[in-house]
Amino acid sequence: MKIAVTYENGQIFQHFGHTEAFKIYEVEDQKVVSSEVVSTNGSGHGALAGFLTEHGVQVLICGGIGGGAQNALASAGIQLFGGVSGNADDAVNALLGNSLNYNPDVKCNHHGEHEHHGDCGSHEHNCGHHCG
C-alpha cells in the first residue's frame, strides 16, 4: 500500500491544492518500509489526484482540501484523511496504528481551494458554499 502526505519541511502542508510536494510512504504489514519526497512539478487542485494515481497512491493524509479535489480523489479511488496537522511521519504511524485524529467532514477553510476563476474578492472569508 502507498500512503501520500502533503508535505513541507517534515510537516503536513495545510493546503492540498497548493502543495509542492508529497511524501509517499510504501507500507507492508502495517509498517513503513520506504518513503520518498516527490515534487508535484507545479500541478495543483484536481490534477493532483491524477498525480497521486500515477504514483500508485491509495491513501492521502492532508490538511485543508476543497470539494472539487475531494471529488477527484474519490473518483480515483483514493481514501482521504483530511484535517490533519503536525509531523508527517507521526501521522502515517498514527494511521497505521488506527489512532489518527482526522476530520471526516473536512471542507475548504481558505480562499484558495475552490474551483472558480478570478479573484475571490468578497468570498475570501466565506467559501463554504463552494465546497458543498
Side-chain angles (χ1 to χ4, degrees):
M1 176 174 69
K2 286 189 177 180
I3 301 172
V5 180
T6 51
Y7 189 77
E8 184 178 62
N9 298 323
Q11 301 296 303
I12 298 167
F13 186 68
Q14 290 301 297
H15 307 299
F16 173 81
H18 297 282
T19 193
E20 293 181 6
F22 290 99
K23 189 167 184 180
I24 300 177
Y25 300 79
E26 181 76 39
V27 175
E28 293 177 11
D29 298 323
Q30 295 301 101
K31 293 192 175 17
V32 174
V33 294
S34 67
S35 64
E36 64 176 327
V37 177
V38 180
S39 171
T40 62
N41 296 318
S43 297
H45 294 285
L48 290 172
F51 177 89
L52 293 171
T53 300
E54 289 171 17
H55 285 84
V57 169
Q58 293 104 346
V59 176
L60 172 69
I61 298 172
C62 68
I65 183 168
Q70 288 182 23
N71 292 339
L73 291 170
S75 295
I78 296 172
Q79 187 176 8
L80 171 66
F81 293 90
V84 182
S85 61
N87 180 280
D89 294 350
D90 291 348
V92 170
N93 288 323
L95 177 66
L96 296 175
N98 293 317
S99 62
L100 181 66
N101 183 14
Y102 70 99
N103 179 359
D105 298 317
V106 66
K107 299 290 185 210
C108 71
N109 58 6
H110 66 285
H111 66 278
E113 285 289 313
H114 30 266
E115 301 200 3
H116 63 87
H117 301 285
D119 187 13
C120 292
S122 63
H123 299 295
E124 187 167 353
H125 296 293
N126 185 18
C127 71
H129 64 281
H130 291 288
C131 300

